[in-house]
Every structure is written in structure tokens, then in C-alpha cells.
Amino acid sequence: DRSLFGGHDPAVLLHGLLGIGVQTHLLSGAYMLLFAFIPGTLAFALVFSRNLASGLYYVTAQSINWLLAAASYFLLPALGPVYAEPSVFAHLPVSTVTRLQDLLLDQRVEFLRDPATGTAQSIAAFPSLHVSFFFTAALASHLLGLARPVRIGAWFLLGVTIAATVYLGWHYF
């Protein structure tokens, strides 16, 4: 990451550029939006879509996306920046995301202590499932010819999610 950003940590650059106050909470909310976005868009695609083939296309794309991402967590095991270098993120205000990061780290420690009784792992440095879901949605919105505001909104959400992912330390750029 540092070599791509002229010797600087991209998260530190984003902290300086965007600030670390209310911005942290806004990016945290944007990052957590995935947990409503996925079931909402899947339901819309399957139930409310006028074109069932388009809805099935979207659902299939997101399902394959999920399988590939889950497989990659096993193929590329690594911890994200917030776990590898917590001091870079220690000055951020406590948010929904920081509480989730703490919970996942506690679960990982518990799993490593006793894999038979620990919770399955769900943290990894590569790839970002959030980014891949929003990218798939943005690409599908274009391929399916959805309304221009929907396409613009999908690409905007992708951009905000990429920024949040790096800013909050979930994944490397």
C-alpha cells in the first residue's frame, strides 16, 4: 500500500484528508449499509423486479460473488490493517465499525484458543466482500440498463465503500 501511495499509508492519508470526527461515523454507517443493502436488493430483484430474468441475473451474480469471496478468505488468509497495525486507527472515535472490529478480534482469539468451541472466522485482509458486492451491484445496474439515478447511486455507494474500507482499516487498498 505504501509503495502505491508514495511511501504513505493510505488510511493515514484519508484520515488527514477527511478528518476523524463525524466523518468516522458517516463512513462507519456507509460500511455497515451492506447488511441492509444485500437483503434489500436481493428481495427487490426477486420480488419487485418487472423482469424476472434480470432479477435472477443479479441474484446469481451476487451469489457467485459471495462464494468466490468466501473461498478467497481460505486461500489468502491475512488480517487487515486495523489488526496488523492498530495504532494507525487508535485515534478514530468509537463507532459501530470499531465495535464490530473488536468483537471479531475477540472471536478470532477465542477460536485460536479453542477451535472446537470458537466462532467461525470472518475477518480477512483480501478481498473486500463489501467492495465486491457494491461493485457487482454497480456493474449490474449498467448491464441491466437501470435508470440513470440508480446507476449513479450504485457507483457512488461503491466509491464511499472503498473509502470506508481503507479509512476504517478493514482491508488494504
Side-chain angles (χ1 to χ4, degrees):
D1 271 7
R2 287 187 174 99
S3 64
L4 291 173
F5 290 88
H8 302 284
D9 185 307
V12 172
L13 290 175
L14 281 175
H15 297 165
L17 179 68
L18 300 176
I20 59 167
V22 69
Q23 303 87 331
T24 302
H25 297 286
L26 293 173
L27 289 170
S28 175
Y31 191 82
M32 299 300 285
L33 178 66
L34 177 79
F35 300 109
F37 180 82
I38 289 299
T41 59
L42 293 177
F44 185 83
L46 291 173
V47 177
F48 301 109
S49 177
R50 291 187 191 121
N51 182 341
L52 182 59
S54 294
L56 292 173
Y57 172 82
Y58 177 75
V59 171
T60 301
Q62 292 293 25
S63 298
I64 292 170
N65 189 15
W66 175 265
L67 290 172
L68 291 173
S72 74
Y73 285 179
F74 292 104
L75 296 173
L76 300 168
L79 294 176
V82 72
Y83 302 112
E85 216 172 335
S87 62
V88 172
F89 305 92
H91 63 284
L92 295 178
V94 174
S95 67
T96 307
V97 162
T98 55
R99 286 190 290 276
L100 178 59
Q101 289 168 332
D102 290 343
L103 172 69
L104 293 175
L105 183 58
D106 290 345
Q107 289 177 347
R108 181 176 179 81
V109 169
E110 189 62 33
F111 177 79
L112 293 174
R113 185 177 304 131
D114 186 5
T117 61
T119 303
Q121 296 304 291
S122 60
I123 55 177
F126 298 106
S128 170
L129 190 57
H130 284 66
V131 170
S132 65
F133 269 123
F134 281 108
F135 175 76
T136 301
L139 184 60
S141 73
H142 273 278
L143 294 174
L144 297 173
L146 299 183
R148 188 168 193 259
V150 173
R151 294 191 317 262
I152 291 170
W155 288 108
F156 176 79
L157 284 174
L158 172 63
V160 170
T161 301
I162 291 169
T165 297
V166 174
Y167 179 98
L168 297 165
W170 282 109
H171 302 279
Y172 297 97
F173 181 78

